[in-house]
Amino acid sequence: MPAVRKLARIATVLTLASVPVFVSHVAFAERDKHGSNGQTEQHGNASDNGTLSAGVIVYDRSKNGTGTSAGPVTSTTSWTPPACWYAPKYTPAQLKAYLEPIWNAESTGSEWDLEQRNKYEKGGETTGTYKDFNKEKTGKGYFWDSYVNESFPPGWDKCTKPIFWVDQGDPPPADIENAVTPKILAELAYNEIRVPGTKVTLAPAGTTKVNLPTWAWLDGAAFKPVSVTATVPALGISATTTAEPVSLKIEPGTSDAEIYPASGVCEIKNGQIGEPYAKGKADETPPCGVKYLRSSGDGTYPLKATITWKIHWTGTGGAGGNLPDGTFGATQAVTVQEIQAVNR
C-alpha cells in the first residue's frame, strides 16, 4: 500500500488548512495579513502548559529591509531554502484530536487507518509506535510533522515522513532531513530576508549624452546589513541570518556602451556604493558608471543594477556559517541623446 500511504500523506499536507489550531499555514496567512512591516511577528509558540498553537516559528523582521521597493534575494547558486521542513506540531491530545476524525471519516482506506491506529494509538512496544498517542509523556515533548512553504516551490511535497515523537531536550532523529535545527532556521530566515531596491542615482540625471561618462551611485545610508531571526520557542532554539551588501553590478541595456569599471562590478568601499558626482569632475572617469556610445533614439535603454549580498548566520549554541550569496536587482529607463553641435 505505499501508493495509498503516499497519497494519504499528501492529502494530509493539503488539508491541514482545515485544522487551523495546528497548522503553520494559518501563521503564514496572519503574516501576509499584517505585511512584512519590519516588526517582530509571532507565528505561534507553545503556551506554559505545553499546548502548541498554529505554527511554531517566530520571525523577528525588525532589522529587515523596508520600503515598497524592497524584495527577496535570489541565491547565486542552485541552492534554495527548504521548501518543507519538520518541527513540533502536536501535543498528544492535539494529535488525537487531529487523527481520529480522519480515521472515522474512512476516507483514507480501512487498511491505512488500521496501520495508523496501530502506530499512534495501540502501539508502544516497538520503536516508532505509541500507546494512546503518548499521553503519558504530555508536557515532556511533542509530535513533529511537516510544514510547507506556502508558495509551494519545487520540493514542497518531499517531506513525507510519518509523524514522529521527540522528547523535550533531545535532538530530532538524524535520518530526518530538514528537521528544524538552528541551521534549518537560518535557511528559513534566508527566505524572509528583504533588501532595499537598487535604483541608482545617475549624473547627468534623467537624460544623458552619447560619449559622456555617466556617474552612478547608490544611497549608502540605505545599504546597510539586514537580518532576520527565526526562533522556535517550544524548543528554545534560534538563528539569525544576516545579509551584507558587497558589490553593485551595472548592465547598461545595450552593447553600445562602456562600463566603469570594465567588469561592470562596483565594489563597495567604506560603506559607499559608487561615488556621487561633484562639480568639476566632468572630465574624470567615474569609479562606477557607464558611457553610452549610441543614442537611444525615440526610446530608452533598460539599465539594470544588481546588488550582491554576502549572507551568513549564527545560532543557538554557537552554531553558524555561510549561506550562498544572494542578489537583488531592478531596471530603470535611461534616455541617451546625441550631443547637438552648433554650426557657425
Side-chain angles (χ1 to χ4, degrees), residues 6 13 15 63 142 166 182 192 219 221 269 304 316 344:
K6 183 176 181 181
V13 173
T15 58
K63 297 179 180 179
Y142 299 103
V166 178
E192 302 295 322
D219 179 6
K269 298 180 180 179
K304 184 176 182 180
T316 302
R344 294 182 182 276

Side-chain angles (χ1 to χ4, degrees), residues 250-259 290-296 300-304 334 336:
I250 290 180
E251 298 171 83
T254 174
S255 59
D256 294 316
E258 293 180 3
I259 310 170
V290 60
K291 179 169 70 175
Y292 287 98
L293 306 179
R294 186 184 298 273
S295 165
S296 60
T300 58
Y301 290 127
L303 182 145
K304 184 176 182 180
V334 177
V336 182

Side-chain angles (χ1 to χ4, degrees), residues 14 26 47 54 72 88 121 168 266 272 296 306 339:
L14 291 174
V26 174
S47 63
E121 184 180 44
Q168 193 75 15
C266 307
Q272 184 168 288
S296 60
T306 303
I339 295 178

Side-chain angles (χ1 to χ4, degrees), residues 123-178:
E125 296 182 0
T126 59
T127 302
T129 66
Y130 313 94
K131 183 177 180 179
D132 195 18
F133 302 92
N134 243 12
K135 185 177 180 181
E136 64 178 17
K137 285 194 172 184
T138 297
K140 300 178 181 179
Y142 299 103
F143 280 105
W144 289 41
D145 196 10
S146 63
Y147 290 79
V148 178
N149 184 323
E150 67 166 353
S151 64
F152 298 99
W156 70 268
D157 57 347
K158 300 300 183 183
C159 294
T160 57
K161 295 286 187 180
I163 298 168
F164 57 93
W165 177 269
V166 178
D167 286 332
Q168 193 75 15
D170 284 355
D175 64 336
I176 304 291
E177 187 178 2
N178 287 359

Side-chain angles (χ1 to χ4, degrees), residues 195-211:
V195 296
T198 57
K199 182 176 181 179
V200 296
T201 302
L202 301 174
T207 300
T208 188
K209 304 294 183 181
V210 171
N211 293 321

Side-chain angles (χ1 to χ4, degrees), residues 60-319:
D60 180 354
R61 302 182 182 83
S62 61
K63 297 179 180 179
N64 211 1
T66 58
T68 56
S69 62
V73 295
T74 299
S75 171
T76 57
T77 71
S78 60
W79 176 88
T80 57
C84 65
W85 59 94
Y86 297 92
K89 188 177 285 187
Y90 309 103
T91 63
Q94 288 176 329
L95 183 61
K96 179 179 181 179
Y98 169 61
L99 287 179
E100 284 192 335
I102 296 176
W103 298 339
N104 293 336
E106 298 181 350
S107 58
T108 50
S110 58
E111 182 178 343
W112 188 84
D113 292 345
L114 178 60
E115 179 182 310
Q116 296 300 295
R117 284 187 183 276
N118 289 336
K119 181 178 180 66
Y120 297 107
E121 184 180 44
K122 303 182 183 301
E125 296 182 0
T126 59
T127 302
T129 66
Y130 313 94
K131 183 177 180 179
D132 195 18
F133 302 92
N134 243 12
K135 185 177 180 181
E136 64 178 17
K137 285 194 172 184
T138 297
K140 300 178 181 179
Y142 299 103
F143 280 105
W144 289 41
D145 196 10
S146 63
Y147 290 79
V148 178
N149 184 323
E150 67 166 353
S151 64
F152 298 99
W156 70 268
D157 57 347
K158 300 300 183 183
C159 294
T160 57
K161 295 286 187 180
I163 298 168
F164 57 93
W165 177 269
V166 178
D167 286 332
Q168 193 75 15
D170 284 355
D175 64 336
I176 304 291
E177 187 178 2
N178 287 359
V180 71
T181 60
K183 185 174 188 297
I184 292 297
L185 286 177
E187 294 174 351
L188 294 174
Y190 186 111
N191 215 32
E192 302 295 322
I193 288 285
R194 297 294 181 270
V195 296
T198 57
K199 182 176 181 179
V200 296
T201 302
L202 301 174
T207 300
T208 188
K209 304 294 183 181
V210 171
N211 293 321
L212 178 67
T214 300
W215 293 57
W217 68 95
L218 286 162
D219 179 6
F223 286 85
K224 304 295 183 182
V226 300
S227 65
V228 172
T229 298
T231 303
V232 180
L235 301 178
I237 62 173
S238 66
T240 298
T241 298
T242 302
E244 300 182 59
V246 293
S247 63
L248 164 67
K249 180 178 181 180
I250 290 180
E251 298 171 83
T254 174
S255 59
D256 294 316
E258 293 180 3
I259 310 170
Y260 309 108
S263 65
V265 177
C266 307
E267 300 294 336
I268 296 178
K269 298 180 180 179
N270 301 319
Q272 184 168 288
I273 308 172
E275 180 182 330
Y277 174 78
K279 188 176 180 180
K281 292 185 176 182
D283 295 329
E284 296 182 19
T285 298
C288 183
V290 60
K291 179 169 70 175
Y292 287 98
L293 306 179
R294 186 184 298 273
S295 165
S296 60
D298 294 331
T300 58
Y301 290 127
L303 182 145
K304 184 176 182 180
T306 303
I307 293 285
T308 294
W309 297 77
K310 187 174 183 62
I311 301 178
H312 59 88
W313 68 278
T314 57
T316 302

